[in-house]
Amino acid sequence: MSHGRIIGPWQLPTGVFEMTPDRAASFRKVENSLLSTFSGWGYREIRTPAMEYLETMAQGLTQAELDIAFKLVDRYTGRMMVLRSDVTPQAARMAAIGLQDLPRPLRLCYIANVYRYPDDPGHPRRELVQAGAELLGLQEPQADAEVVALAVNSLRSMGLSGIRISIGQVRYARGLLSERNLPPQTEDRLMVAAHRKDWAGMSGILDSEGITGGDLRPALLALTETQGGDEAIARAEHLAPNRECRDALTNLRTVLELLPSYGIDRDLIQVDLGEVAGFRYHTGVVFAGFVSGAGRAVLRGGRYDHLAGRFGNPDPATGFAIDILELVEIASGRVEMVPSIDYMLVNRTGDRAKGLRIAVELRNRGRNILCLIRDLPQERLLPYAKAHSIKKALILEGDGSLHCLDPSSGEPSACDLEEL
Amino acid sequence: MDRNAITVALPKGRLLPDCIRLLSAVGMRTTEEIDTSRKLLFSSEDGSARILVVRDKDLPTYVEYGAADVGVVGKDVLMESGADLLEPADLGFGFCRIVVARPASISGREDPTGWGHMRVATKYPRITTDHFASRGEQVEIIPLYGSIELAPLVGLADRIVDLVSSGETLRQNNLAEVEEVARITARLVVNRASMKIKSDRLAPLIQAIRQETEREQRGVNQTRTGR
């Protein structure tokens, strides 16, 4: 209030969302197609709480990620809680504690709202919706390939086009860094430069660290180069200074070779060893997904073998999450929305019970039917039906006869209750 | 315009002539004069690119949201914006520095231990906060949008953080540089999604720009050694 800004009771807090029936319907459609894609691959849905103790979340998140979580104090215990800002640590906890006795591997999926303070002032969204899948208990590159393929299929199921997956292996960058004993802050700065493809920035850091000659400098700088297909791996292999780097590349190559058998065209995939956003948390193949019409990555995923162990039951794992809120906006332009209510019953017989009996009968047959309580004059009947996503108005006249009206054409047609 | 076309954002102002020269050196020419026209949207001669001219502070936003695939912007604007962009080339031109300056009447080394309540006027609140915070020093930022040099003269601030090229403005206002915060040049920035989706177009363009930049810098260095 000190700035004289008046916040009215009608105003939404910055960065949260609400959905009108039309938006909610198209959103639900996308959620359903995602969930059916996930279950089509054998992933079972889980639900997780909207609040967690800070310590729990801290197991799976970096300090920077924790900094942007909403925090509150639990009145019962006095401990800090956070609003769910990421589902993966919760899924890992559930796998390690609630589902520890289930035979591995485990395939879990979710759609959940998550809450974050925006770390970027340009994107003030504080409430997001994430759809994700986690595959726990497998170390094999086949698991990485399955998760990448599922991610691509998820984007496809949303009707999105221009899909590209950028894929890397953080153990390669970690192997390079292991050549020198650099302070963590310097490593972070180098990885930020790699992630931004900031060649100039990285050479500046290397200069100031005295990494001027040898093989390490070109290998690190190559992380910032625009990369592409197999030749990118070959180039990195040529520069790889140690076993860890070579193993990382072999692993990445295996995953890439598996993808075509999942129906993933190699043209969709771009190797990018500078894909190091979560290099402290991830432990293997990592990837990001892009689609036409969205300026930023819409999907992030990768291997995180150390997380479940922090909850007492070590389990290798990989998975991904898609930010679906904005994607629905992009996809909904391509999704044809069909009216969701089959009939609107207009009962003009004066016998209320008769109309309601017909409605019950139709609902039992699986039809969606809305009963008009107060009759409307003819000129308002069809606009009402159109505005409320109704396919047909069903008029039960005083003489007991039944006819249909199409809201878009206004054409009446005779109809038989038995055939509705 | 074809689906594969790319959009290039250029900043209005002092960097624009160098940007136009660079684009034309890598084969992206327009039939109209971008720097003298009052239009904001241009097409390249071959129709394979369109060129937007935007305010420099807005440029990172255009590129971050993908309204433009590629752009050129000063490192100062980029650092201040915090936008999540790719930054694949330092273009070398538009050199200047961001510095901390104080009234020339103050002498001696800067002593943060004596700073009770240091007020710093700047048009770079983010860069300034980060600069001092990285050493554990806390300052009060006075955000200004122009004539920053005035602030210490009228008691609005104790220090300024501003862009300097020759340092002449500082001298004329009896201010002296005490510290360099960053060296600034123009940067090529690229949208993350475009880099992946339009890599066929963008990878060769970035490569050509890097080569052109290197060629120019070699030229500059030779001139320097020649003297």
Side-chain angles (χ1 to χ4, degrees):
Chain A
M1 291 293 172
S2 63
H3 297 292
R5 269 165 92 173
I6 296 168
I7 295 177
W10 56 85
Q11 195 173 328
L12 284 178
T14 304
V16 302
F17 66 91
E18 60 181 4
M19 289 188 189
T20 55
D22 282 346
R23 269 198 82 197
S26 56
F27 198 75
R28 177 65 73 194
K29 210 169 162 172
V30 170
E31 286 181 314
N32 286 344
S33 67
L34 278 169
L35 286 175
S36 94
T37 305
F38 292 159
S39 58
W41 288 59
Y43 288 68
R44 296 179 65 206
E45 188 180 3
I46 56 167
R47 301 267 182 156
T48 63
M51 291 168 230
E52 285 278 355
Y53 286 120
L54 179 85
E55 293 157 77
T56 310
M57 239 21 180
Q59 301 304 317
L61 299 181
T62 62
Q63 188 58 46
E65 287 167 325
L66 270 185
D67 288 345
I68 58 170
F70 281 81
K71 297 176 189 82
L72 43 153
V73 175
D74 181 2
R75 279 201 204 176
Y76 295 135
T77 60
R79 290 163 75 189
M80 289 298 290
M81 301 199 295
V82 294
L83 289 189
R84 172 175 57 208
S85 59
D86 194 316
V87 184
T88 303
Q90 300 184 308
R93 191 248 335 261
M94 186 186 285
I97 296 166
L99 305 173
Q100 76 270 35
D101 294 332
L102 277 192
R104 292 331 196 219
L106 271 183
R107 288 178 170 82
L108 306 176
C109 67
Y110 59 84
I111 295 181
N113 293 27
V114 299
Y115 302 89
R116 295 168 184 175
Y117 283 102
D119 53 349
D120 172 356
H123 296 107
R125 197 173 278 297
R126 299 196 282 188
E127 181 176 27
L128 304 99
V129 184
Q130 291 201 326
E134 316 286 351
L135 174 47
L136 298 109
L138 287 175
Q139 218 146 26
E140 286 84 340
Q142 284 82 354
D144 299 276
E146 174 175 308
V147 162
V148 172
L150 178 55
V152 173
N153 276 277
S154 304
L155 294 177
R156 282 178 179 157
S157 79
M158 299 175 78
L160 296 161
S161 63
I163 299 169
R164 287 288 181 285
I165 299 289
S166 170
I167 190 168
Q169 225 294 8
V170 290
R171 270 164 43 214
Y172 180 76
R174 192 156 313 119
L176 294 181
L177 292 175
S178 73
E179 290 284 302
R180 286 284 193 291
N181 200 6
L182 297 169
Q185 297 90 321
T186 309
E187 293 187 345
D188 286 346
R189 281 167 59 218
L190 285 168
M191 291 301 104
V192 167
H195 188 57
R196 291 177 69 89
K197 305 218 170 297
D198 181 4
W199 190 93
M202 187 179 280
S203 13
I205 303 168
L206 295 174
D207 288 344
S208 64
E209 291 298 324
I211 304 174
T212 46
D215 301 336
L216 185 60
R217 186 184 175 94
L220 279 167
L221 283 170
L223 294 177
T224 69
E225 298 291 330
T226 313
Q227 306 205 335
D230 298 322
E231 79 286 354
I233 298 187
R235 204 160 15 141
E237 221 148 37
H238 181 68
L239 294 166
N242 57 36
R243 177 79 185 273
E244 186 176 6
C245 290
R246 283 189 293 275
D247 286 351
L249 295 171
T250 307
N251 171 261
L252 178 58
R253 181 172 279 142
T254 312
V255 173
L256 291 172
E257 282 165 2
L258 288 164
L259 286 173
S261 56
Y262 286 95
I264 307 299
D265 192 349
R266 277 301 302 273
D267 291 351
L268 296 187
I269 306 289
Q270 283 186 34
V271 173
D272 186 347
L273 292 165
E275 198 63 71
V276 289
F279 87 109
R280 294 216 178 272
Y281 161 75
H282 284 296
T283 56
V285 165
V286 290
F287 55 98
F290 300 87
V291 299
S292 295
R296 286 166 289 149
V298 297
L299 168 161
R300 292 207 167 272
R303 182 162 281 283
Y304 55 97
D305 288 344
H306 299 328
L307 183 52
R310 296 192 193 148
F311 298 104
N313 275 308
D315 232 350
T318 174
F320 66 86
I322 312 175
D323 273 327
I324 60 176
L325 208 51
E326 269 125 47
L327 276 186
V328 172
E329 302 288 319
I330 297 168
S332 61
R334 292 166 206 166
V335 179
E336 199 198 339
M337 283 306 294
V338 288
S340 56
I341 313 287
D342 298 311
Y343 302 113
M344 171 173 81
L345 182 69
V346 187
N347 181 1
R348 289 175 176 159
T349 61
D351 178 357
R352 187 163 287 279
K354 185 174 183 192
L356 296 179
R357 271 198 308 276
I358 293 177
V360 168
E361 167 66 21
L362 288 173
R363 286 187 193 121
N364 286 342
R365 286 184 219 161
R367 304 290 178 270
N368 301 335
I369 177 160
L370 168 160
C371 294
L372 211 58
I373 288 177
R374 196 200 301 156
D375 202 354
L376 288 171
Q378 197 68 14
E379 73 275 11
R380 281 166 56 199
L381 200 60
L382 295 183
Y384 181 88
K386 250 178 151 164
H388 290 278
S389 190
I390 290 160
K391 280 181 204 150
K392 275 201 164 115
L394 210 55
I395 319 276
L396 188 60
E397 294 291 0
D399 60 6
S401 67
L402 193 66
H403 66 267
C404 290
L405 280 179
D406 186 312
S408 18
S409 66
E411 287 300 311
S413 57
C415 63
D416 183 353
L417 191 55
E418 294 308 307
E419 286 167 13
L420 294 176
Chain B
M1 198 159 75
D2 74 297
R3 220 174 71 86
N4 213 15
I6 56 169
T7 304
V8 182
L10 301 182
K12 270 183 206 160
R14 67 183 183 99
L15 297 180
L16 191 56
D18 278 324
C19 293
I20 295 166
R21 185 185 43 71
L22 176 68
L23 286 190
S24 96
V26 299
M28 200 180 283
R29 289 182 193 82
T30 57
T31 44
E32 295 162 284
E33 294 289 333
I34 296 178
D35 40 355
T36 52
S37 168
R38 298 183 70 168
K39 280 174 65 178
L40 301 171
L41 185 59
F42 302 86
S43 222
S44 70
E45 270 173 4
D46 58 2
S48 69
R50 60 177 183 174
I51 296 165
L52 318 177
V53 180
V54 304
R55 199 181 127 97
D56 64 350
K57 267 189 158 174
D58 296 337
L59 196 138
T61 309
Y62 276 84
V63 180
E64 188 176 22
Y65 278 81
D69 300 301
V70 198
V72 175
V73 69
K75 179 73 177 174
D76 55 329
V77 177
L78 193 57
M79 285 164 73
E80 187 60 27
S81 82
D84 182 24
L85 300 172
L86 301 176
E87 197 185 324
D90 179 346
L91 302 175
F93 59 75
F95 178 77
C96 46
R97 302 178 308 129
I98 296 180
V99 302
V100 183
R102 66 181 182 188
S105 54
I106 304 177
S107 58
R109 271 194 23 221
E110 287 281 85
D111 179 16
T113 54
W115 293 359
H117 189 72
M118 176 62 75
R119 287 185 301 182
V120 184
T122 184
K123 60 179 172 193
Y124 300 116
R126 187 182 183 127
I127 295 173
T128 304
T129 308
D130 289 354
H131 173 72
F132 287 104
S134 70
R135 295 191 304 225
E137 294 160 14
Q138 207 165 32
V139 297
E140 181 183 345
I141 307 286
I142 311 284
L144 295 176
Y145 297 99
S147 310
I148 319 289
E149 298 80 5
L150 194 55
L153 306 181
V154 296
L156 179 58
D158 308 300
R159 301 285 182 275
I160 67 169
V161 167
D162 202 14
L163 205 58
V164 299
S165 48
S166 68
E168 191 48 35
T169 316
L170 288 185
R171 272 191 293 282
Q172 288 197 11
N173 289 288
N174 296 316
L175 296 171
E177 175 184 338
V178 277
E179 190 185 0
E180 181 176 284
V181 176
R183 290 174 164 253
I184 304 301
T185 45
R187 302 298 168 109
L188 181 71
V189 291
V190 180
N191 173 271
R192 284 193 181 275
S194 304
M195 183 73 123
K196 303 296 172 187
I197 295 170
K198 298 180 178 175
S199 59
D200 301 353
R201 282 292 310 276
L202 292 180
L205 178 66
I206 293 166
Q207 198 53 37
I209 288 177
R210 280 182 173 173
Q211 276 165 4
E212 177 59 25
T213 306
E214 264 169 47
R215 204 183 57 79
E216 276 177 20
Q217 272 162 4
R218 268 202 308 276
V220 170
N221 288 341
Q222 273 162 11
T223 329
R224 275 187 191 150
T225 18
R227 281 177 203 162

